[in-house]
């Protein structure tokens, strides 16, 4: 879930980028404006890069931390996922933001296997 503050910031960034792109579109036929057009395109790229960074950091990194934490807490030490959980836990601070979505998928896979493990373990445990 994207926070309302981040949603507002991303919308402002997109509207700003759109305004700059509209300017570029109007000026692109005027070769005397090439330098200014280049500056505007670089500014648009910077705005979009910032929005991407903020989205990755706010949404994906938090989700990744939550999944790693839950997996770490739910693995009793013999769940079969100890190596994957520990690898994700140790590497988490070092993930580049571009890697976080893929690593989140890995953590989700671990989470699914953990739920299956815990479900099977509960079925094997006699209930009073």
């Amino acid at each position: 879930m994207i926070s309302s503050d981040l949603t507002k910031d991303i919308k402002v960034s997109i509207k700003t980028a759109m305004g700059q792109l509209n300017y570029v579109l109007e000026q692109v036929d005027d070769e005397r404006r090439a330098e200014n057009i280049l500056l505007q395109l670089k500014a648009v790229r910077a705005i979009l890069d910032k929005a991407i960074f903020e989205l990755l950091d706010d949404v994906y990194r938090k989700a990744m931390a939550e999944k790693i934490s839950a997996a770490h807490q739910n693995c009793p030490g013999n769940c079969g996922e100890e190596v994957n959980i520990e690898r994700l836990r140790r590497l988490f601070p070092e993930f580049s933001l571009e890697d976080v979505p893929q690593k989140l998928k890995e953590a989700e896979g671990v989470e699914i296997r953990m739920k299956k493990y815990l479900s099977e373990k509960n079925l094997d445990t006699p209930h009073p």
Side-chain angles (χ1 to χ4, degrees):
M1 176 98 182
I2 302 173
S3 70
S4 60
D5 287 343
L6 181 58
T7 300
K8 185 174 130 183
D9 290 348
I10 288 176
K11 284 181 178 181
V12 168
S13 294
I14 291 171
K15 287 177 183 178
T16 301
M18 288 171 62
Q20 288 175 305
L21 287 172
N22 283 331
Y23 171 81
V24 168
L25 192 58
E26 292 170 5
Q27 302 298 316
V28 77
D29 290 327
D30 186 349
E31 58 190 52
R32 295 173 295 161
R33 302 267 185 194
E35 185 176 342
N36 195 24
I37 290 169
L38 180 60
L39 288 172
Q40 293 298 318
L41 289 173
K42 285 181 178 182
V44 168
R45 182 172 55 194
I47 288 169
L48 294 177
D49 285 346
K50 180 179 180 268
I52 289 168
F53 176 82
E54 289 172 347
L55 181 64
L56 284 171
D57 190 52
D58 188 68
V59 177
Y60 286 102
R61 193 172 285 271
K62 285 179 185 173
M64 181 73 178
E66 289 170 3
K67 293 210 180 292
I68 291 170
S69 177
H72 186 68
Q73 290 175 1
N74 289 322
C75 184
N78 61 349
C79 65
E81 293 294 327
E82 298 85 3
V83 172
N84 289 330
I85 293 168
E86 183 60 21
R87 180 179 56 83
L88 288 169
R89 191 185 66 74
R90 275 187 294 110
L91 292 174
F92 178 71
E94 304 300 320
F95 291 152
S96 70
L97 285 177
E98 291 78 21
D99 291 340
V100 171
Q102 178 59 38
K103 297 300 181 186
L104 182 57
K105 288 179 184 177
E106 286 181 39
E108 288 170 346
V110 168
E111 179 182 44
I112 289 167
R113 292 188 296 275
M114 284 297 305
K115 285 180 181 177
K116 182 179 177 188
Y117 168 80
L118 292 171
S119 172
E120 290 171 356
K121 186 176 179 186
N122 286 336
L123 290 176
D124 292 343
T125 305
H127 298 283

